[in-house]
Amino acid sequence: MANPKEPLLDEIQWKTPPLAMSMGGITTNTVLPYFYESPFFDATSNNATITTQATHNPALFYLIQTREAFEGRLRTMQGLEFVVAHDPSDNGTKVENSGVWVIRKQNRRKRAGQEDEIIPLNSYYVVGENIYMASSLGNILGARLLTMVSSLSKVIETAAALPSFTPALGHTYLPPVPKTGSSAVNMQISQTSKESTPMPGTQESTATKPPSQLLLDQDLQSTQLIQSSLNLSLRYGNEYMDDNPLVGEPGSFIITKSREVPPPASQQKPRPAPMTTRAPAPQIKTDIPEPKRKPSMGTEKSPSTPSTKEKKARRKSRPATSVTTPE
């Protein structure tokens, strides 16, 4: 079991310059023996088995003389092995090269009648005398995502303190800073001059206040205005204005009569054309009755005109002097 205090293999750098000098430098035939001394090497691999056999058996000593013979023997076996995946010297033919070797840790499985199955496990880089372990794709993505999340968290924390709200400017990320101190003082003096002039000695002159204090006073006034607006909204937030306009003050609104707004011309119905027929002329009555006359004593009543349709009621006279009118 690995010691939890030891660093991870993909976070260390290993090198042994004296060993590299004793081998005559890092070449195509010495890169694997130099890698065996590092903590990245697995002693249970086929490389360790072949090296042990060739060291104690003179008949197999040629296997550790050249890399081609050694890797040829590895291909006849199955199991865990370390091979050179990239040779910058191209098997010693290139004198000038990058000096970066790639060693691959893989698992070989034999299959009857088919090519061997190779499962890569890890990769290692030999740069000069230094050996590094390549990180896995999951570790690389995890590290990049962690870096991104950490940076975004710092940005969010920094930006959270920037926004400020004022009724005049709304939401802003930076508070308004006056261009010069004198202009801010003059603006404050012009605002206070409109109000009633305080008595001498009762209030400190605003001209002696620094710009920072003026900004603080403005923020305090904005905060009080927000609090007052919020209280009005909480108290009278359920009262809304509709088609009928409201007059009055909050808490004592009066609904006035709405004026009928004519619909648009596109929705108005066409009116029927006015009738051109004339109304019948009123009939004039020409049979005006004659005024009644009071009959005198001993005289006869005048006969009725032929134009009258009804007979007038007879008036009863006294019996002594009754006079009958002809029919």
Side-chain angles (χ1 to χ4, degrees):
M1 183 176 181
N3 189 357
K5 296 183 180 181
E6 294 182 358
L8 299 177
L9 294 179
D10 57 352
E11 297 180 357
I12 65 175
Q13 171 192 354
W14 184 87
K15 65 178 180 178
T16 305
L19 179 61
M21 293 179 62
S22 64
M23 293 181 176
I26 306 300
T27 62
T28 183
N29 295 324
T30 60
V31 62
L32 284 177
Y34 180 74
F35 180 79
Y36 296 162
E37 303 298 329
S38 68
F40 307 107
F41 181 69
D42 190 350
T44 61
S45 62
N46 294 335
N47 299 62
T49 302
I50 295 175
T51 301
T52 303
Q53 292 177 356
T55 302
H56 296 86
N57 188 356
L60 301 178
F61 187 74
Y62 72 96
L63 296 177
I64 58 176
Q65 297 298 316
T66 60
R67 183 170 66 84
E68 295 180 354
F70 188 85
E71 290 183 350
R73 185 59 181 267
L74 285 176
R75 297 189 188 95
T76 61
M77 305 172 66
Q78 68 175 359
L80 184 64
E81 60 185 17
F82 294 86
V83 297
V84 177
H86 174 70
D87 185 358
S89 65
D90 197 7
N91 291 332
T93 57
K94 294 182 179 180
V95 179
E96 296 182 359
N97 54 69
S98 61
V100 179
W101 306 76
V102 180
I103 298 177
R104 181 185 301 163
K105 179 181 180 181
Q106 60 188 18
N107 191 9
R108 182 186 297 273
R109 293 181 181 179
K110 294 292 183 178
R111 295 185 297 182
Q114 298 180 3
E115 296 182 357
D116 298 344
E117 180 183 4
I118 304 299
I119 303 176
L121 301 178
N122 285 317
S123 296
Y124 307 90
Y125 300 98
V126 181
V127 183
E129 297 175 353
N130 302 319
I131 301 179
Y132 309 89
M133 177 179 178
S135 300
S136 62
L137 180 60
N139 293 338
I140 295 175
L141 293 178
R144 296 294 184 271
L145 291 175
L146 181 60
T147 303
M148 293 172 58
V149 171
S150 301
S151 301
L152 289 176
S153 300
K154 294 179 180 179
V155 170
I156 293 174
E157 292 177 359
T158 304
L162 292 179
S164 61
F165 176 81
T166 58
L169 301 178
H171 292 277
T172 57
Y173 285 94
L174 295 176
V177 179
K179 296 182 180 179
T180 58
S182 59
S183 62
V185 173
N186 295 334
M187 179 183 64
Q188 184 68 15
I189 293 175
S190 62
Q191 291 179 358
T192 55
S193 62
K194 297 179 182 179
E195 301 176 357
S196 59
T197 304
M199 296 298 293
T202 58
Q203 185 177 2
E204 184 182 1
S205 176
T206 58
T208 60
K209 293 184 179 181
S212 59
Q213 183 65 26
L214 297 178
L215 293 177
L216 183 60
D217 295 343
Q218 293 177 1
D219 294 341
L220 181 59
Q221 294 177 0
S222 301
T223 305
Q224 294 176 353
L225 180 58
I226 293 175
Q227 183 178 2
S228 177
S229 302
L230 182 59
N231 291 335
L232 290 177
S233 177
L234 294 176
R235 293 176 60 185
Y236 312 110
N238 296 329
E239 299 182 6
Y240 299 94
M241 294 184 64
D242 51 7
D243 295 338
N244 298 329
L246 302 179
V247 294
E249 298 179 354
S252 61
F253 285 119
I254 301 175
I255 301 177
T256 60
K257 295 182 179 180
S258 61
R259 298 179 179 178
E260 296 183 358
V261 180
S266 58
Q267 299 181 1
Q268 291 182 357
K269 297 182 180 180
R271 296 182 178 179
M275 302 296 292
T276 57
T277 58
R278 296 183 178 178
Q283 297 180 357
I284 302 175
K285 296 182 179 181
T286 58
D287 49 349
I288 300 176
E290 294 181 358
K292 297 180 180 180
R293 296 179 179 179
K294 185 176 181 181
S296 60
M297 298 297 295
T299 61
E300 297 181 357
K301 294 182 180 181
S302 61
S304 59
T305 58
S307 60
T308 54
K309 297 181 180 180
E310 297 180 357
K311 296 181 179 180
K312 296 183 179 180
R314 296 179 180 179
R315 184 177 179 180
K316 294 181 180 181
S317 59
R318 295 178 181 179
T321 59
S322 63
V323 180
T324 58
T325 57
E327 294 291 338

